[in-house]
Amino acid sequence: MTRVPPTVTAPSGRERELAAVRRLLHAARSGRSDALLVTGGPGSGKSTLLAHAVTEAADLTVLYARAVPEESDLAHAGLHQLLRTVLPYLPRLPAAQREVLDEALCLGRDDRPFPLAAAALALLTEAAAEHPLLVCVDDLHLMDRSSRQAVAFAARRFSVEGVATLLTADADVLGDLAGPVRLALSPLPDRVLSGLLDERAPHPLAAGVRADLVAAARGNPRAAGELADALTPGQACGDAPLGEPPRSHGPLTDTCARLLRSLPADTRHRLLLMVLDETAEHHDRAEGAGLEPGDLEPAVAAGLVRHEAGRPVPAHPLVRTACYHRSPLGERHAAHRALADLYADLPAVAARHRAAAVAGTDPVLAAELTAIARNTTEHATAALLWERAAELTPTTAAPSGSRSAGTVREAGSVAARPSGRAAEPVTTTGGTVREGRSPAIGGRSPTTDGTVREGRGPATAEDRIGAKIREDRFLMAARHAWLAGDHRRARRDAHRAGDVADPFAAQMDLRAGVAIDAFHRLSAAAERLADHDPSRALELFHHAGEAGCLAGDHDRYFATAARARALAERADSPRDRVLLDYMAGKSAIFRGRHAQGVDALRRVQVAADHLGEPDVLVLGVISGLLCGDHIRTRALAGRAVLIARRTGAAALVPQALEFLTYAELWFGRLSLAEESATEGLRTALATGQENCAGHHRAALAFVAAIRGEEETCRGLAGAALATAEAHDVGLPAALASWALALLDLGAGRAREAAVRLRALTRSGPGRSHAAVRLLLTPHLVEAAVRGGLDARVDAGVATLHAWAEATDNDTARALVARCRGLLADGDRAQEDLFRALELHTSGYCDFEQARTRLLLGTRLRRSRHPGSAREHLTEAREIFERLGAAPWAAQAAAELRAAGGAVSGVETRLSDLSPQQLRIARHVADGATNREVAARMFLSTRTVDHHLRNIYSKLGIRSRVELSRLIDRPAFAD
């Protein structure tokens, strides 16, 4: 056997290609012959696939050759490598063919191509006569011409010899090769590349870093590996920037760099322009500016550039990194200056390229970047501008008369404010960035001992001014980066800003860290500001209060709200008034002063609608939920999401979606709640907001509980509880525990549900939340009554009643009446339940109405009114089935049978499916693939396959078409 690659495992993400290879080998084992040409770019996985084919062909005779560029001009070199181990069969050939092969392989004679190809075919046929044969040629395009012709000649003529011919070549190189079936390797899926990166990276990867590398690799596994090999420990964990483009290290990168060095100077310049800006707009501008398209032709010929949709693009993912990082610094700077000229009409773009062409500091350009950043509405762009402005800001005085000197003195006149900080913009609660002072609130000024941060000796006044300006600019960069969703950049820039950024870092920790720690840091910062910057202090008190509230520590929230009220006379902007009303209203609601709280929070809703800033809209959304105004809540939340997306404030999207999800849950719209929570979870994780992700996991657990999907519910709730435990956040912990209780209640485990809910009402900070304790009351009452547990619910029902009356919410009133009906006896119980049903008709929550009908129908059946019971139970069951609330539908069906109602046919078959199987059936009937169903339900594809087979068996069907027809029937319709 010719030397072959080592045994390898099946490459991930290549199921289609592996199946084709297995068919090829099966044909050879069956005495048939076939050929397959696998094509793909460098590093796409061709060699790995071929090596695995060799591993699977242990029962075949394997001939293997790998072509190399150094032998491409040596006639018959490839054939010599391929045929060496079957030369013992040479005596079996006719003398003329033996002579042709001997002269070609030993003497290099190359003037008889047809006799040589025919002799090679005969030799391979003789070898295959004794044992099936696998002929493998890797990188056929690099093989010498005569060998390539002979291999292709043989592959086209094999038929019943039992020969499998497997060839690989770069895409589009062998355009004239006829015969073998072509199989083009597609880019690897992101999930597969992520796994490869984790295996290859020398250091553990942060999730965001992994995502950036996956994007840079563009589906190419070798590119992913070389990008991973170039990582530093700081880059791997996200503490250091990857660079744009990120660096790579390895043979393919070296090859790209070698080819780059061979290009003419004009071509290298155009290539740099292209990799720095691959947009179609750049292509159009370049043509409009008179840049010669022909300048890139040498790069096309070298394989570094190809044409796509009529414009040039890098031919390989590593062309970008090699071209930029392996080019001399002067050439990179020249490319940036050229792009600045090309985009002269777009100040932000032009300024970024001018800044990239500067080494060291440049206060004049830094001031220009700052001015542009202030007028930039797109947060990601603003973050880059502020960051580069900070990097260009000097921290030591320049010599008199230099470019730097006048600028620093000018900055000093601006910076000499009572606060002791430079006049730079500061961010508000979230969605906007406003002008204002950024005081030294971290506990010290930028230099505490009279020296600049770099330690260059005694600091002058201009040194201190420069250091202050630099830190403020890094702080602004961090704030914009956070809003843009780039949490790693935000934390890096906050670190570079120093102690002045500590309050902002605490705001980030409110979304991603330990809530009570964030509370202490924000409260302390607010107190330091209260005397000379009341508006900024109010912002920080608000964030501190949110931290306390998130932790479930409402006493801290009340104290913080009271401290904020003391600033009311000096903080009187429209935004300040919103924050004051919000904190006052929320405190009143949590203290049971519902009417007072509702009045304040309704003012917040009106003001939020008027101001239209996404972060203020989020406050309006929360206020709407606390006021029971779920219709307006949905409208404000939807508007907040739209504005946040339009302005690039990605960090606010998961927050708005969080409360939109709660509104949809209140209405019982499970599919919409699941949709918004799934998107919210994805964006929360992408923007580094783990606490917010915990809320979305808890909400998804709640949806799964209603549907009876026990495995999914427990998994999501467990993840939410783990985050809550680690970060001391009470709200997601309470929601997750509530979801588990609801799961028990739906499954008929009423006592277990009651115990869990009762524990929630008694839990303190870090485990519960006032809003959850209020809203779970109807579930606790039902669980306690059904489970025979004394839960002492009278106080909770009274509080719910007070809130329902203050908010004028008929659904809440219906829930109160239902609680009273469950707690009462005889005719009074039925009267209260009928009253609840009447109130439900003016509400919008079908799920709670169906639950009331189920409880009423059960009570009527047990009091010997089966006819009336069947009416309510039938309607309850239909609503539950439409919503996909399978456990509740099963309860209604059981009660309906007990009341003498008929449940038959397709409806009976529906009850045979588990809640999870029912949901899978719905997704499949809607046209989703098994992989899409797995992603939506947080399951593996194999689990979905298993469930789908069982669904077919239970329903007596064989195909997706039959399933779709069955689901469309009324009993299944959603």
Side-chain angles (χ1 to χ4, degrees), residues 418 437 439 441 524-538 541 563 566-567 570-571:
R437 290 194 298 273
I441 51 182
E527 291 293 352
R528 289 193 292 271
L529 277 175
D531 291 338
H532 57 273
D533 195 345
S535 290
R536 180 63 179 145
L538 179 58
F541 275 130
R563 186 68 184 90
L567 303 175
R570 294 181 295 131

Side-chain angles (χ1 to χ4, degrees), residues 11-88:
S12 299
R14 295 296 187 204
E15 289 78 13
R16 178 178 67 98
E17 293 85 352
L18 288 170
V21 169
R22 287 167 184 148
R23 288 194 297 270
L24 181 74
L25 298 178
H26 177 72
R29 294 184 181 106
S30 303
R32 302 189 307 275
S33 297
D34 207 346
L36 183 66
L37 173 61
V38 180
T39 62
S44 58
K46 304 184 299 295
S47 298
T48 302
L49 183 65
L50 189 145
H52 181 71
V54 171
T55 300
E56 291 206 347
D59 57 330
L60 276 66
T61 298
V62 178
L63 303 184
Y64 178 90
R66 181 172 187 179
V68 293
E70 292 79 6
E71 296 183 2
S72 61
D73 293 330
L74 296 178
H76 318 316
L79 207 55
H80 180 271
Q81 183 187 170
L82 184 66
L83 299 180
R84 278 188 308 163
T85 55
V86 292
L87 289 178

Side-chain angles (χ1 to χ4, degrees), residues 474-544:
F474 273 127
L475 176 57
M476 286 306 302
R479 285 171 164 157
H480 279 286
W482 175 260
L483 283 173
D486 192 346
H487 59 100
R488 297 191 308 279
R489 182 184 294 273
R491 291 193 180 276
R492 287 196 302 268
D493 286 336
H495 177 74
R496 297 169 82 180
D499 288 351
V500 69
D502 184 67
F504 174 67
Q507 288 177 229
M508 291 191 286
D509 287 344
L510 168 60
R511 302 295 173 189
V514 179
I516 203 65
D517 289 351
F519 169 84
H520 289 302
R521 291 157 63 195
L522 289 163
S523 296
E527 291 293 352
R528 289 193 292 271
L529 277 175
D531 291 338
H532 57 273
D533 195 345
S535 290
R536 180 63 179 145
L538 179 58
E539 291 269 1
L540 294 174
F541 275 130
H542 160 64
H543 285 299

Side-chain angles (χ1 to χ4, degrees), residues 398-454:
S400 178
S402 71
R403 174 178 169 90
S404 302
T407 305
V408 175
R409 284 193 294 271
E410 180 183 350
S413 65
V414 180
R417 304 291 179 91
S419 66
R421 301 299 296 168
E424 298 288 4
V426 296
T427 53
T428 60
T429 308
T432 58
V433 181
R434 299 185 290 118
E435 295 287 342
R437 290 194 298 273
S438 178
I441 51 182
R444 64 174 180 82
S445 55
T447 55
T448 58
D449 56 2
T451 61
V452 294
R453 186 174 303 280
E454 291 81 356

Side-chain angles (χ1 to χ4, degrees), residues 172-425:
D172 303 323
V173 174
L174 298 175
D176 60 344
L177 182 67
V181 175
R182 293 192 178 222
L183 178 64
L185 293 184
S186 55
L188 282 180
D190 289 354
R191 60 178 177 80
V192 177
L193 274 187
S194 295
L196 291 176
L197 283 166
D198 286 335
E199 294 174 5
R200 180 72 172 265
H203 315 285
L205 295 178
V209 174
R210 185 186 303 107
D212 288 346
L213 293 179
V214 165
R218 302 184 182 184
N220 188 290
R222 180 75 68 82
E226 296 199 5
L227 287 164
D229 287 346
L231 289 174
T232 66
Q235 288 174 326
C237 67
D239 289 344
L242 285 177
E244 180 53 39
R247 290 182 179 273
S248 60
H249 175 72
L252 272 181
T253 304
D254 293 341
T255 298
C256 290
R258 176 176 52 79
L259 293 171
L260 176 69
R261 289 192 296 270
S262 70
L263 299 176
D266 289 345
T267 301
R268 292 200 305 272
H269 179 69
R270 278 301 309 275
L271 191 54
L272 268 171
L273 297 182
M274 186 188 71
V275 301
L276 286 170
D277 183 3
E278 294 183 44
T279 63
E281 182 179 1
H282 165 72
H283 178 64
D284 296 339
R285 284 175 178 263
E287 288 189 345
L291 296 176
E292 292 295 331
D295 287 343
L296 283 173
E297 286 309 311
V300 174
L304 294 173
V305 173
R306 60 184 173 84
H307 288 279
E308 185 177 279
R311 62 186 179 90
V313 296
H316 192 274
L318 295 182
V319 170
R320 296 180 71 240
T321 179
C323 183
Y324 188 75
H325 292 292
R326 300 292 184 93
S327 293
L329 182 62
E331 291 185 10
R332 297 204 301 266
H333 284 178
H336 281 296
R337 287 192 295 269
L339 286 171
D341 292 339
L342 201 60
Y343 286 94
D345 58 321
L346 297 177
V349 178
R352 282 171 51 200
H353 282 295
R354 283 200 303 276
V358 173
T361 61
D362 187 331
V364 174
L365 184 54
E368 181 184 347
L369 291 176
T370 297
I372 296 171
R374 284 181 173 136
N375 296 315
T376 299
T377 58
E378 209 279 317
H379 292 292
T381 300
L384 294 175
L385 292 170
W386 280 110
E387 181 183 79
R388 189 63 182 132
E391 292 169 345
L392 292 171
T393 302
T395 56
T396 56
S400 178
S402 71
R403 174 178 169 90
S404 302
T407 305
V408 175
R409 284 193 294 271
E410 180 183 350
S413 65
V414 180
R417 304 291 179 91
S419 66
R421 301 299 296 168
E424 298 288 4

Side-chain angles (χ1 to χ4, degrees), residues 602 627-630 666 800 803-818 835-845 848-849 852:
R602 283 179 175 161
C627 289
D629 189 353
H630 297 86
W666 176 265
L800 182 63
W803 180 75
E805 293 304 316
T807 59
D808 195 26
N809 186 297
D810 280 343
T811 296
R813 290 188 178 112
L815 295 176
V816 172
R818 188 173 82 195
R835 172 61 178 159
L837 200 57
E838 180 183 348
L839 289 165
H840 275 306
T841 59
S842 57
Y844 297 90
C845 186
E848 291 299 340
Q849 180 188 142
T852 299

Side-chain angles (χ1 to χ4, degrees), residues 832-897:
D832 284 330
L833 290 173
F834 274 114
R835 172 61 178 159
L837 200 57
E838 180 183 348
L839 289 165
H840 275 306
T841 59
S842 57
Y844 297 90
C845 186
D846 288 348
F847 177 67
E848 291 299 340
Q849 180 188 142
R851 291 184 63 204
T852 299
R853 286 189 181 277
L854 172 58
L855 293 167
L856 175 59
T858 300
R859 184 65 64 99
L860 289 170
R861 179 187 68 79
R862 292 175 180 175
S863 60
R864 299 183 180 180
H865 295 87
S868 298
R870 287 195 295 271
E871 174 188 347
H872 295 290
L873 293 170
T874 299
E875 188 161 352
R877 180 178 57 85
E878 289 175 355
I879 293 173
F880 288 138
E881 289 177 352
R882 187 177 72 246
L883 294 175
W888 310 92
Q891 289 184 28
E895 288 291 336
L896 185 57
R897 290 190 190 93

Side-chain angles (χ1 to χ4, degrees), residues 483-621:
L483 283 173
D486 192 346
H487 59 100
R488 297 191 308 279
R489 182 184 294 273
R491 291 193 180 276
R492 287 196 302 268
D493 286 336
H495 177 74
R496 297 169 82 180
D499 288 351
V500 69
D502 184 67
F504 174 67
Q507 288 177 229
M508 291 191 286
D509 287 344
L510 168 60
R511 302 295 173 189
V514 179
I516 203 65
D517 289 351
F519 169 84
H520 289 302
R521 291 157 63 195
L522 289 163
S523 296
E527 291 293 352
R528 289 193 292 271
L529 277 175
D531 291 338
H532 57 273
D533 195 345
S535 290
R536 180 63 179 145
L538 179 58
E539 291 269 1
L540 294 174
F541 275 130
H542 160 64
H543 285 299
E546 291 300 283
C549 189
L550 179 61
D553 193 336
H554 298 95
D555 288 339
R556 292 185 190 275
Y557 188 85
F558 301 148
T560 304
R563 186 68 184 90
R565 282 197 300 274
L567 303 175
E569 293 184 0
R570 294 181 295 131
D572 58 356
S573 72
R575 186 184 187 86
D576 293 339
R577 288 194 291 274
V578 167
L579 294 180
L580 289 166
D581 277 340
Y582 174 82
M583 296 184 76
K586 201 170 178 179
S587 294
I589 290 286
F590 290 161
R591 283 179 158 171
R593 303 168 186 166
H594 299 113
Q596 177 186 343
V598 167
D599 287 343
L601 293 175
R602 283 179 175 161
R603 290 196 298 271
V604 174
Q605 286 184 283
V606 173
D609 201 11
H610 175 72
L611 289 174
E613 297 173 359
D615 59 307
V616 178
L617 285 169
V618 169
L619 298 184
V621 169

